[in-house]
């Protein structure tokens, strides 16, 4: 019982440390999604030019951070006419370049990991685009489109199909501050939490259990910490494989990344591990349903190679600049809740979350929760006439 209590204490401590950051990140994401229509995104992602891929990354970063929802949304964009490579760039941005991920990395592991994520993410997107350009032929894209148009369900289809943005005239601020804008923000906020909550809880529990029960000596041996050069080479290769087998995706893999860093994985290995939330086994199966087996294997190979390459690039760049932390003291091993700035921030942002949840419930949002796993491309457009009061 003591071992279980220790693991749960670590889990609770990590959850408390990142709570305000999650609320802030999802609020910012909700604000953007409340005023940017998905049809606009499709129109902007019609090719794979560098400018388009950069825009896809930025739009993805402003979108959902749930891996399942991001994968479903990328398929939806592809079916509506978006370029396949641009859709994949959007998907990578949605899960690896979001604000809440950067804040949580800074809180648990240090600002260097946030910087590595936002430097490595674009590198990964460039590598994926180059690999697709070299190895993906038009006939494979056509076959993937035919499979995508079959509309086979994966996960979070209803969430991906919903468009809760506010249309009409007026400036960004005017639409956002209107009653309809308030409702739209509350809707997106709650739906984002509902989409991510399962993976977040699993990630925290897994990280707490591993941090409490697996000795550092195991990780040090596994990550070859006694051989610095071999460790730097091995980290980006093994990091994604650990993520694939861990079944933890989205923001939920950050606590586990903290455990791995304390255990001895290289700096580039942590970065590659974080990127691999888009390759966990359940998502690979969704790729197979969405695009066919050949395209699933192509995505697996291209993404894995790009993750490894981005991990090496980060290791070299940050090592050359002397930015790799010398201490392995990620905040995964601290137990307890103290009365400090984190507690004050949590109380403030919990109040904000309560306001948004109440608005969501009072304006008829609860039925939407039952639609999150609905059929793909179901008409879930809540933008035209959302309740105003």
């Amino acid at each position: 019982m003591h071992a279980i209590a220790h693991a749960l204490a670590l889990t609770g401590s990590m959850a408390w440390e990142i709570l305000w950051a999650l609320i802030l990140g999802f609020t910012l994401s909700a604000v953007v999604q409340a005023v940017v229509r998905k049809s606009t995104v499709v129109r902007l992602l019609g090719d794979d030019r560098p400018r388009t891929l950069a825009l896809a990354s930025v739009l993805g970063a402003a979108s959902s951070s749930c891996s399942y929802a991001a994968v479903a949304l990328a398929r939806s964009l592809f079916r509506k006419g978006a370029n396949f490579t641009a859709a994949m760039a959007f998907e990578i941005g949605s899960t690896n370049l979001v604000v809440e991920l950067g804040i949580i990395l800074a809180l648990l592991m240090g600002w260097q990991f946030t910087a590595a994520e936002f430097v490595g993410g674009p590198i990964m997107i460039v590598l994926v685009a180059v690999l697709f350009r070299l190895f993906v032929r038009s006939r494979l894209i056509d076959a993937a489109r035919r499979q995508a148009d079959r509309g086979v369900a994966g996960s979070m289809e209803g969430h991906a199909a919903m468009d809760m943005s506010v249309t009409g005239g007026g400036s960004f601020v005017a639409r956002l501050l209107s009653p309809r804008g308030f409702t739209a923000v509350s809707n997106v906020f709650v739906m984002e939490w509902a989409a991510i909550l399962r993976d977040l809880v699993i990630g925290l529990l897994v990280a707490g259990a591993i941090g409490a029960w697996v000795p550092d000596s195991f990780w040090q041996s596994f990550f070859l910490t006694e051989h610095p050069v071999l460790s730097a080479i091995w980290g980006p290769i093994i990091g994604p494989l650990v993520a694939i087998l861990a079944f933890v995706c989205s923001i939920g893999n950050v606590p586990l990344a903290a455990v791995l860093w304390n255990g001895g994985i290289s700096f580039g290995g942590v970065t590659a591990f974080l990127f691999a939330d888009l390759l966990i086994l359940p998502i690979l199966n969704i790729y197979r349903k969405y695009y066919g087996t050949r395209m699933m294997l192509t995505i697996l190979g291209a993404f894995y190679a790009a993750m490894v390459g981005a991990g090496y690039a980060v290791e070299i760049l940050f090592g050359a600049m002397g930015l790799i932390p010398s201490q392995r003291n990620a905040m995964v091993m601290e137990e307890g809740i103290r009365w400090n700035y984190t507690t004050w921030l949590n109380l403030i942002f919990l109040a904000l979350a309560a306001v948004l949840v109440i608005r969501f419930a009072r304006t008829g949002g609860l039925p939407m929760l039952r639609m999150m796993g609905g059929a793909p491309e179901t008409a879930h457009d809540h933008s035209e006439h959302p309740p105003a009061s």
Side-chain angles (χ1 to χ4, degrees):
M1 290 300 294
H2 175 73
I4 294 176
H6 181 41
L8 291 176
L10 291 179
T11 299
S13 177
M14 284 185 286
W16 185 250
E17 189 68 29
I18 65 177
L19 180 58
W20 71 267
L22 285 171
I23 297 173
L24 171 61
F26 285 135
T27 302
L28 294 175
S29 177
V31 167
V32 174
Q33 292 184 64
V35 293
V36 179
R37 291 184 59 80
K38 291 178 180 177
S39 57
T40 302
V41 176
V42 173
R43 188 172 66 252
L44 296 172
L45 305 186
D47 54 61
D48 61 352
R49 293 180 299 172
R51 180 180 180 276
T52 302
L53 297 181
L55 183 59
S57 305
V58 172
L59 291 172
S63 184
S64 173
S65 58
C66 169
S67 298
Y68 292 102
V71 171
L73 181 53
R75 196 264 298 261
S76 175
L77 296 174
F78 178 54
R79 291 182 68 186
K80 293 176 179 177
N83 177 272
F84 185 78
T85 303
M88 294 298 102
F90 179 93
E91 178 181 300
I92 295 170
S94 293
T95 57
N96 293 299
L97 297 177
V98 290
V99 172
E100 54 268 32
L101 175 63
I103 298 175
I104 292 170
L105 281 171
L107 290 175
L108 289 185
M109 303 179 69
W111 66 266
Q112 296 94 331
F113 293 90
T114 301
E117 187 75 8
F118 287 107
V119 170
I123 293 174
M124 178 183 168
I125 291 171
V126 170
L127 292 175
V128 167
V130 170
L131 291 170
F132 280 2
R133 180 69 66 91
L134 292 175
F135 298 109
V136 178
R137 301 291 178 259
S138 58
R139 60 179 179 273
L140 182 57
I141 296 291
D142 293 339
R145 191 178 297 278
R146 288 193 296 270
Q147 177 66 21
D149 286 339
R150 293 178 58 193
V152 179
S155 180
M156 291 294 168
E157 302 286 356
H159 181 48
M162 293 178 187
D163 189 344
M164 291 169 278
S165 59
V166 178
T167 59
S171 65
F172 175 98
V173 175
R175 281 181 289 156
L176 185 63
L177 296 180
S178 68
R180 292 171 60 199
F182 184 22
T183 298
V185 170
S186 70
N187 288 346
V188 177
F189 176 83
V190 174
M191 300 302 285
E192 290 289 284
W193 267 101
I196 200 72
L197 189 59
R198 177 190 62 181
D199 292 313
L200 181 62
V201 170
I202 292 174
L204 288 167
L205 288 172
V206 169
I210 292 177
W213 300 340
V214 179
D216 288 342
S217 58
F218 169 81
W219 294 119
Q220 290 167 2
S221 176
F222 185 70
F223 294 130
L224 309 177
T225 56
E226 294 184 0
H227 308 279
V229 175
L230 289 178
S231 178
I233 296 173
W234 177 239
I237 294 174
I238 196 61
L241 297 180
V242 173
I244 290 171
L245 297 176
F247 281 74
V248 181
C249 66
S250 308
I251 295 172
N253 65 1
V254 176
L256 182 53
V259 172
L260 298 181
W261 172 249
N262 284 349
I265 194 173
S266 68
F267 189 73
V270 170
T271 304
F273 169 85
L274 290 167
F275 290 150
D277 62 324
L278 292 172
L279 290 184
I280 64 171
L281 294 177
I283 286 182
L284 289 176
N285 187 47
I286 292 174
Y287 288 141
R288 181 188 61 80
K289 293 178 180 180
Y290 282 0
Y291 308 119
T293 301
R294 286 187 61 198
M295 182 57 86
M296 179 272 288
L297 293 174
T298 300
I299 293 173
L300 171 60
F303 276 29
Y304 178 76
M307 291 166 188
V308 174
Y312 285 142
V314 164
E315 184 81 30
I316 293 170
L317 288 172
F318 281 65
M321 293 185 291
L323 295 179
I324 296 179
S326 58
Q327 301 296 319
R328 295 180 178 271
N329 54 358
M331 203 174 297
V332 67
M333 300 307 294
E334 295 187 7
E335 297 183 42
I337 297 173
R338 293 169 297 281
W339 194 259
N340 54 18
Y341 80 95
T342 298
T343 299
W344 281 109
L345 288 172
N346 281 340
L347 293 175
I348 292 170
F349 280 95
L350 280 170
L352 171 62
V355 170
L356 293 173
V357 170
I358 292 171
R359 179 70 174 189
F360 175 81
R362 290 185 57 188
T363 54
L366 293 177
M368 284 194 291
L369 291 174
R370 295 190 291 269
M371 300 164 61
M372 290 186 64
E377 304 310 312
T378 304
H380 294 324
D381 191 330
H382 299 269
S383 63
E384 296 300 329
H385 302 287
S389 61

